[in-house]
Amino acid sequence: QVQLVESGGGLVQAGDSLRLSCAASRRTFSGYAMAWFRQAPGKEREFVAGISSNGGSTNYADSVKGRFTISRDNANNMVYLQMLSLKPEDTAVYYCAANAWYVRIRVPDAVDYWGKGTLVTVSS
């Protein structure tokens, strides 16, 4: 079992930056690929960014490419999402996710563990 706890959400203005953090409960966290998903009101949960277990590979949704950066610190069981140039359409609940298989990192149904989410609201 891996427990994930997100933090760092809040209310910001368009163009601002925010960094989300995800703390994982187990040392075996380093064996999992990690990802951030988001879900806006009335919409399905969507992939935002993913990172391989050793941090050597990353991938991003087209909508955030160039603005968001995912990173991880395996020594401290942490995953981060740095968000720059935020837009109102980035408003959503952001979820941290652990997946044993990086090749399926974009697939919500393939996620092994979910956090409870943190709300990001971007005002125009």
Side-chain angles (χ1 to χ4, degrees), residues 4-97:
L4 305 172
V5 179
E6 303 93 337
S7 61
L11 172 63
V12 297
Q13 293 186 332
D16 285 351
S17 301
L18 206 58
R19 189 177 83 154
L20 304 183
S21 299
C22 172
S25 63
R26 287 182 63 177
R27 292 185 179 183
T28 52
F29 155 83
S30 63
Y32 287 88
M34 299 297 295
W36 289 94
F37 288 77
R38 67 186 181 187
Q39 188 166 18
K43 295 188 177 181
E44 293 187 352
R45 193 169 298 190
E46 65 174 359
F47 170 81
V48 175
I51 189 166
S52 60
S53 58
N54 66 1
S57 297
T58 58
N59 67 99
Y60 299 90
D62 288 343
S63 58
V64 307
K65 201 171 293 184
R67 298 188 299 123
F68 291 10
T69 302
I70 188 171
S71 61
R72 66 189 297 162
D73 177 356
N74 283 348
N76 293 295
N77 291 3
M78 296 293 295
V79 180
Y80 303 100
L81 185 68
Q82 179 69 52
M83 304 185 292
L84 305 177
S85 303
L86 283 161
K87 305 175 181 180
E89 51 263 43
D90 294 319
T91 295
V93 177
Y94 283 72
Y95 297 91
C96 182

